[in-house]
Amino acid sequence: MTLSTFTRRAALGAIGSLAASAALAQGNTPRTVRLGYQKSSTLIAVLRLQGTLEQRLAPLGATLSWHEFTSGLPLLEALNLDNLDFSADVADTVPVFAQAAGAQLTFVAQEAPSPTAQAILVRSDSPLKSVSELKGKRVGFAKAAGAHYLLLAALEKAGLSFSDIEPAYLTPADGRAAFERGAIDAWVVWDPFLSAAQKQAGARVLADGTGLASYQRYYLASTRFAQARPDVLGVIYTELEKTGRWVKQNPKEAAALLAPFWGLDAGIVEQANGRRSYAVRPVTPQNITEQQKIADDFLAEKLLPRRVNATDVALFKPQV
């Protein structure tokens, strides 16, 4: 991506902002923010429990509606279909699948890498000791999730390809059930499901993302909404950044707040939160460039329907 291309995009963004201002003046600006999240959307969960976003958005004449999803792919599918305005954090793999489906995405924020917050698990009594032993085995994971890319990267390092395993596309809840009853040989999953499986089911880590997948999580909006309500996105960005710092500085208090909401023991939540960076930062062109390798790796395994240009997205610029 050349500087001139980003300059053109910046100009288009400015035009979009002018259009948004015109919409504001005409009273056509969206008033209800349809916000999608998943169980691993920690910072959004804290904000919801504390009622912070409702309080901060009220002076802007905006209200919130909350929509829970099982994983990142259906969340961004809803964003693409204009059934959502804003998506809480999804793994870095998910946007490339949404782009392949033609989604018009605006990247609002990114969490710094958290490679140990996802892992390939086996049961405590499993004979498997290395990733190379997954050949011919049935492995469960959520399609397009960060876990999916971790599996690809781990298999490649072990000298295997995706075709060497038997994939089982499972939601986290279905994956846990299949894992415990032995219907799958390994399970690739992220926190807090990872910590729950370790503490409750004695799961053993075969490999985590260290040196394989950085596991950066992104917050996104539909480009239509980003152009219409940059004021709302600015508030959300600011509160995410503050909440990320609070969770890391107050691990026990944060775990106590989230535990009943997630239906998990506070110790599990604290362990899971300890693996996530929660360092919210603006998305830069360099960040998006890293997405290209993910997209190309999925395409090479014939798991992506077409090649995508990972940089062909809009970037929200918060006032920081």
Side-chain angles (χ1 to χ4, degrees):
M1 177 62 65
T2 65
L3 180 60
S4 60
T5 304
F6 274 106
T7 302
R8 287 195 298 272
R9 287 201 181 146
L12 289 173
I15 293 170
S17 295
L18 290 173
S21 298
L24 272 167
Q26 295 170 12
N28 296 327
T29 302
R31 297 296 180 184
T32 299
V33 183
R34 299 166 298 171
L35 190 154
Y37 66 98
Q38 52 183 316
K39 192 169 186 176
S40 54
S41 300
T42 308
L43 303 186
I44 287 294
V46 171
L47 288 168
R48 182 177 186 182
L49 290 167
Q50 295 178 334
T52 307
L53 285 182
E54 285 91 345
Q55 295 169 15
R56 289 293 315 279
L57 292 177
L60 301 179
T63 59
L64 281 173
S65 63
W66 302 87
H67 308 271
E68 185 172 1
F69 291 78
T70 57
S71 61
L73 185 58
L75 210 169
L76 288 198
E77 286 174 345
L79 196 70
N80 185 29
L81 293 171
D82 197 31
N83 292 324
L84 288 177
D85 301 306
F86 181 84
S87 164
D89 50 315
V90 298
D92 41 16
T93 56
V94 186
V96 300
F97 280 81
Q99 284 181 264
Q104 298 299 306
L105 304 174
T106 292
F107 283 66
V108 177
Q110 178 204 60
E111 285 182 17
S114 304
T116 61
Q118 56 178 358
I120 302 172
L121 298 177
V122 293
R123 291 179 300 280
S124 59
D125 60 352
S126 172
L128 301 178
K129 302 296 183 184
S130 67
V131 174
S132 61
E133 295 176 83
L134 291 177
K135 186 173 184 178
K137 303 300 182 183
R138 185 171 171 80
V139 183
F141 54 92
K143 184 177 181 180
H148 196 167
Y149 183 67
L150 170 59
L151 178 61
L152 286 190
L155 290 172
E156 181 181 5
K157 184 178 180 181
L160 301 176
S161 68
F162 191 71
S163 61
D164 287 319
I165 61 136
E166 182 184 348
Y169 295 122
L170 299 168
T171 66
D174 291 339
R176 173 70 181 265
F179 182 73
E180 290 190 347
R181 69 173 183 267
I184 53 178
D185 299 291
W187 183 32
V188 198
V189 74
W190 60 95
D191 273 316
F193 309 103
L194 167 59
S195 291
Q198 286 180 288
K199 286 186 171 290
Q200 296 173 340
R204 175 165 52 85
V205 172
L206 206 59
D208 62 25
T210 304
L212 294 171
S214 62
Y215 191 50
Q216 301 178 104
R217 294 179 69 92
Y218 289 96
Y219 297 81
L220 303 105
S222 70
T223 296
R224 175 200 58 78
F225 184 80
Q227 292 173 349
R229 297 302 314 246
D231 55 339
V232 168
L233 294 186
V235 168
I236 293 175
Y237 178 89
T238 297
E239 294 308 319
L240 286 170
E241 193 178 43
K242 289 179 183 177
T243 305
R245 289 196 298 268
W246 180 81
V247 170
K248 297 305 284 187
Q249 293 168 3
N250 302 275
K252 292 192 180 299
E253 188 176 349
L257 176 68
L258 290 163
F261 183 69
W262 283 348
L264 294 172
D265 178 79
I268 293 174
V269 177
E270 188 172 354
Q271 176 175 294
N273 286 348
R275 292 173 173 151
R276 289 273 295 275
S277 73
Y278 296 129
V280 176
R281 58 193 187 182
V283 183
T284 68
Q286 290 74 25
N287 296 144
I288 299 301
T289 300
E290 295 175 6
Q291 295 290 97
Q292 194 64 55
K293 183 181 186 307
I294 293 174
D296 291 345
D297 287 352
F298 274 110
L299 185 68
E301 291 285 0
K302 297 180 174 57
L303 298 170
L304 205 62
R306 65 179 180 87
R307 189 182 188 280
V308 301
N309 181 355
T311 60
D312 192 20
V313 293
L315 306 182
F316 177 73
K317 294 184 178 181
Q319 300 298 313
V320 295

